[in-house]
Amino acid sequence: MIGSGFSFSDGGQILVSAQRPLGIVLVQDPDTGAIRVAEVDPSGSAGRGGVRVGDVLVAVQNASTEGVDLGDVLAYIGNGPRVMNLRLRRA
């Protein structure tokens, strides 16, 4: 199994495999609909994987989050596997 906090960079994006609970707070921009990281617990698996405040969530488990409501994304994460793959774009 992939350990929590694994990540790699792909140009302007970062892929993080993090174990739930992720240790991040997500918010949705009311103007653009983009889902951004508002808070990061540095000792949480996403924080150890390099997630930063301001990162934009692009996909979860290879499913795009573009145009998706934050509540649906949170439900998807909550019902997903123990280790989640998050693709983020650096702000």
Side-chain angles (χ1 to χ4, degrees), residues 2-80:
I2 295 174
S4 54
F6 171 79
S7 68
F8 75 89
S9 179
D10 180 17
Q13 295 186 355
I14 181 173
L15 177 65
V16 176
S17 290
Q19 185 172 315
R20 292 186 294 127
L22 303 174
I24 58 175
V25 174
L26 300 171
V27 295
Q28 191 158 29
D29 184 297
D31 297 325
T32 66
I35 298 173
R36 296 188 182 277
V37 177
E39 294 179 33
V40 177
D41 176 355
S43 64
S45 63
R48 290 191 314 269
V51 175
R52 299 179 191 164
V53 170
D55 285 349
V56 176
L57 186 64
V58 176
V60 176
Q61 294 297 99
N62 292 322
S64 174
T65 60
E66 186 175 335
V68 179
D69 183 71
L70 176 60
D72 292 336
V73 171
L74 294 176
Y76 187 73
I77 290 171
N79 293 318

